[in-house]
Amino acid sequence: MPASPPGPVLEGDDLFRVPARLAPDALRALAGQAVMPAFAPAPRVADLVDITQVDPAIALDVRYASSRNFLGFPVYPAARAFLQRPAALALSHARGLAAWHGYGLLVYDAYRPWHVTALFRAAVPEALHEFVGDPAMGSRHNRGCAVDLTLWDLATYQVVPMPSGFDEMTPRAHVDYAGGDALARQRRDLLARIMQASGFVPLAEEWWHFDFADWADYPVLDLSFDAVAQAEKK
């Protein structure tokens, strides 16, 4: 496989949509006005890195940089994916394990600025809050220690079917969901084993979401992607 593959492709569409409680501009305005709480100091200093610089063989489909997400409009200015350096190195290890099984990793999301978490919380009804982070607590994504991803077939370049689509806010997204296609469940479970063997912990409600084991050591951040990229160059 070349270091920079043409990129996996998705057959059909796996989009899940939630009718937003407010219009996009209103949600952006609310998120822009939100003030991040003062969180307890973290023992480690942030060191966010572009995961494709750490491992160019990791593919990206950053859904929040496009309209192909549960809201139907972009919330990121660019299709970038950052993680704390140890988490990025652990993800590269996972990519190597996946390749041994004939798969690549396709990342949907990684570091998420705090104000985007505030936007998500304002956008969805309370009944779906288990699927979005609580801005009052700060999410693992805000710490640069969570990654959303799936598998793609290295031989065919096809993204493999899973029990649900990414960001699908239904029981099918749960890691213990026992319905649907057996092969899809097997691939879901394989992804979980690969990620756990690389230092990540699965999230019960979302098969695609994994937290780096040391997430609590890092601060909650609301840095823009441009600010992260500039800091990375220093």
Side-chain angles (χ1 to χ4, degrees), residues 40-56:
R44 295 195 194 182
V45 176
D47 184 18
L48 291 170
V49 294
D50 186 321
I51 62 174
T52 62
Q53 296 299 314
V54 173
D55 188 341

Side-chain angles (χ1 to χ4, degrees), residues 19-24 26-27 30 73 122-123:
R21 296 170 59 220
L22 296 169
L27 286 169
L30 274 178
F73 62 89

Side-chain angles (χ1 to χ4, degrees), residues 14 16 64 70 91 106-110 112 130-132 141 146-151 162-175 188 191-192 195 200-211:
D14 67 346
F16 179 83
Y64 302 134
F70 74 96
L91 186 64
L106 178 66
V107 170
Y108 293 129
D109 193 27
R112 181 183 304 159
E130 69 172 309
F131 292 98
V132 294
H141 279 293
V147 60
D148 297 338
L149 77 171
T150 192
L151 298 172
M162 289 292 191
S164 79
F166 168 63
D167 262 358
E168 182 175 318
M169 300 179 190
T170 75
R172 299 197 312 168
H174 294 185
V175 298
R188 174 199 67 193
L191 176 61
M195 295 299 287
F200 291 87
V201 179
L203 181 68
E205 295 82 8
E206 299 173 350
W207 62 259
W208 57 82
H209 177 113
F210 295 89
D211 296 318

Side-chain angles (χ1 to χ4, degrees), residues 30 35 40 58 62 64 74 123 142 154 163 187 195 203 214:
L30 274 178
V35 178
I58 296 174
V62 182
Y64 302 134
N142 302 154
L154 292 177
R187 288 167 171 159
M195 295 299 287
L203 181 68
D214 294 339

